[in-house]
Amino acid sequence: MAAAARLLTEDQLLCSVCLDVFTDPVSTPCGHNFCKACMCKYADPDVPFQCPVCMKMFYPKPELQVNTLISEMVNAFRRSEQQPGEKLVKMEAEIQQTIEEIRLKIEELKRSVELGKEEADREMADGVQVFAALKEYVAKLTEAIREKQRQTELQAEGFIRKMEQDIRELKKRKTEVELLSVLQLEEPLSEEMKEKLPKMLARFELRRVQSYAVDVTFDPDTANPCLVLSDDGKQVHDSDVRQKLPDNPERFSYCINVLGEQSFSSGRFYFEVQVKGKTEWTLGVATESTNRKAQITLSPRDGFWTVRLRDGYEYKAKADPDVALSLRSGPERVGVFVDYDEGRVSFYDVSAAALIYSFTGCSFTQKLRPFFSPGLNDDGRNSAPLIITPID
């Protein structure tokens, strides 16, 4: 019966009156089928019955009985129609269950990934800590090595300074011995010897300070752009032409000056400069923090201890105030001696072995550097260079 019902279509099981699937189907003598409820309007037995399909008249009205075969076929059809719906519901339930299982798997995977990330973060943090500790250890080790190297260098410098001091003292003693031997040979002193003695003492003093000679060169980074320096850093003159040079903080931008490359913060040092043929120059020492970018005043108060020449004959010590110097003849070579600890800066006419001027009672608190100004070119009249010379 179920197979037969599946062969019928829904249209074949429709009532011709209500156009719906049969409910309690009944059959007429003419063979047509209708819902029992649709035949209720024909219930009056005194009214002739007419078939709604073929229009055949029946009188009296026939008794309409339920067609059990069609009724079973309708029930079988309805059951077959309900089964796909139940299957769909079941399939939907299974799909929903599968979706839930997949969602749970996804959540599980996400949690696993999150735990893995947390573990990776912990391992990375541990690695960073280990690296930081290693870096700190290497930094401390490097600093310890550098400190040890600094101490070694300081110790070596101390030994070198001590040996240089010993050499200077030996030279000084040798000169004293030479002077005493002459004086002993000439006792009692002759008039000629009495005249020579001051010069001998002056020469002795010059030789003593010369024993503190150091190698000095010009620092090109401090030179005014109008100055021209030799390749060996020993000569300088004004060119009257401003060169295109970097305006670094160390450079004298306004004044025609240049510093020595070397600096000193203790002890004694001496250097000599040839000034032959010049009508203008300034020599001495200056503090490390001197003004390099504006007009400056050459005085100890501003960190300068210098002697200068102007107009070919006017010599002055740039003290506070200036001190005019009376020199018998213009020096061709000037020696500059500094005793940092004693607070003294002295200038010598090397050829005459004569003291030109001394700044005394100075209180140095900064590094000192040799200071030079060759003066303006003056249309060639002052073109001769300043030359740092070796000590005879």
Side-chain angles (χ1 to χ4, degrees):
M1 184 61 68
R6 285 196 294 270
L7 293 176
L8 295 173
T9 65
E10 185 177 357
D11 293 340
Q12 292 173 312
L13 297 175
L14 295 180
C15 172
S16 300
V17 176
C18 66
L19 301 178
D20 200 356
V21 176
F22 290 121
T23 301
D24 296 332
V26 293
S27 299
T28 62
C30 56
H32 295 107
N33 301 296
F34 306 95
C35 291
K36 184 176 181 180
C38 294
M39 296 292 102
C40 289
K41 63 182 180 177
Y42 303 107
D44 189 353
D46 296 329
V47 177
F49 174 75
Q50 187 178 20
C51 176
V53 176
C54 64
M55 307 305 290
K56 186 175 180 179
M57 299 293 293
F58 296 94
Y59 187 86
K61 178 183 176 181
E63 279 190 28
L64 300 178
Q65 301 296 326
V66 174
N67 190 326
T68 56
L69 176 62
I70 294 177
S71 180
E72 290 178 3
M73 292 178 68
V74 168
N75 290 335
F77 175 77
R78 284 177 173 166
R79 285 194 300 272
S80 67
E81 285 294 310
Q82 290 175 351
Q83 285 178 357
E86 293 174 356
K87 290 181 179 179
L88 286 174
V89 171
K90 185 177 180 181
M91 287 178 63
E92 287 178 0
E94 291 176 350
I95 292 172
Q96 185 63 32
Q97 183 179 359
T98 303
I99 290 173
E100 290 299 323
E101 291 176 355
I102 293 174
R103 185 178 289 113
L104 290 174
K105 287 288 185 183
I106 292 174
E107 292 298 324
E108 185 179 349
L109 285 173
K110 285 183 178 180
R111 181 58 182 164
S112 177
V113 170
E114 187 65 25
L115 291 174
K117 183 177 182 297
E118 292 175 0
E119 181 65 23
D121 290 342
R122 283 195 296 272
E123 291 181 359
M124 288 177 65
D126 293 341
V128 169
Q129 290 180 351
V130 171
F131 178 74
L134 180 61
K135 185 178 179 181
E136 183 179 0
Y137 172 76
V138 171
K140 289 182 178 179
L141 180 61
T142 302
E143 182 59 29
I145 294 172
R146 287 177 177 171
E147 181 60 28
K148 185 177 180 181
Q149 178 65 23
R150 281 195 293 269
Q151 294 299 326
T152 303
E153 290 176 355
L154 289 174
Q155 189 177 24
E157 288 175 1
F159 287 146
I160 292 171
R161 283 196 299 269
K162 180 64 171 59
M163 289 187 286
E164 289 176 343
Q165 180 68 26
D166 291 343
I167 291 172
R168 286 192 290 267
E169 291 299 328
L170 288 171
K171 287 182 179 180
K172 176 183 175 181
R173 191 169 300 173
K174 177 176 179 291
T175 304
E176 291 173 348
V177 169
E178 290 175 351
L179 180 60
L180 287 173
S181 65
V182 170
L183 293 176
Q184 289 172 356
L185 289 173
E186 295 293 333
E187 287 184 355
L189 293 178
S190 63
E191 292 299 322
E192 181 182 1
M193 192 60 201
K194 289 180 181 180
E195 292 180 2
K196 289 182 178 180
L197 185 59
K199 293 183 179 180
M200 293 176 66
L201 292 174
R203 176 62 62 184
F204 167 73
E205 171 64 14
L206 179 61
R207 291 182 65 178
R208 185 184 71 82
V209 299
Q210 284 179 328
S211 67
Y212 296 98
V214 294
D215 185 22
V216 173
T217 53
F218 298 118
D219 182 356
D221 290 336
T222 66
N224 181 277
C226 291
L227 295 181
V228 177
L229 277 60
S230 61
D231 292 339
D232 62 358
K234 297 288 187 179
Q235 299 187 33
V236 61
H237 70 275
D238 174 38
S239 67
D240 277 343
V241 177
R242 194 173 184 85
Q243 306 171 79
K244 292 183 179 179
L245 297 174
D247 188 21
N248 49 281
E250 300 85 3
R251 191 178 304 284
F252 285 98
S253 300
Y254 188 84
C255 298
I256 311 297
N257 303 330
V258 60
L259 295 179
E261 197 160 11
Q262 295 72 24
S263 62
F264 306 89
S265 58
S266 64
R268 304 178 178 93
F269 63 95
Y270 174 86
F271 60 93
E272 291 183 0
V273 182
Q274 179 179 306
V275 297
K276 181 179 180 181
K278 296 190 66 60
T279 61
E280 182 178 328
W281 52 260
T282 305
L283 297 175
V285 292
T287 56
E288 186 90 332
S289 62
T290 56
N291 187 352
R292 317 280 177 91
K293 301 301 179 184
Q295 181 68 43
I296 58 178
T297 301
L298 296 179
S299 71
R301 183 174 53 188
D302 294 316
F304 297 90
W305 293 264
T306 61
V307 167
R308 78 173 192 183
L309 167 67
R310 291 293 183 270
D311 300 324
Y313 66 90
E314 184 183 278
Y315 294 91
K316 284 185 178 181
K318 298 298 292 179
D320 215 355
D322 292 351
V323 177
L325 303 174
S326 298
L327 304 181
R328 291 183 179 180
S329 60
E332 295 185 351
R333 182 183 296 189
V334 176
V336 181
F337 171 71
V338 177
D339 188 328
Y340 191 99
D341 302 320
E342 189 179 305
R344 174 187 169 192
V345 181
S346 298
F347 299 83
Y348 295 88
D349 180 341
V350 176
S351 300
L355 177 66
I356 297 175
Y357 184 81
S358 284
F359 293 90
T360 58
C362 307
S363 180
F364 303 126
T365 58
Q366 299 184 38
K367 290 182 178 180
L368 297 179
R369 297 177 68 176
F371 175 85
F372 310 87
S373 176
L376 297 174
N377 185 279
D378 195 18
D379 294 329
R381 287 185 289 274
N382 189 41
S383 61
L386 289 179
I387 304 174
I388 301 173
T389 58
I391 309 305
D392 292 338

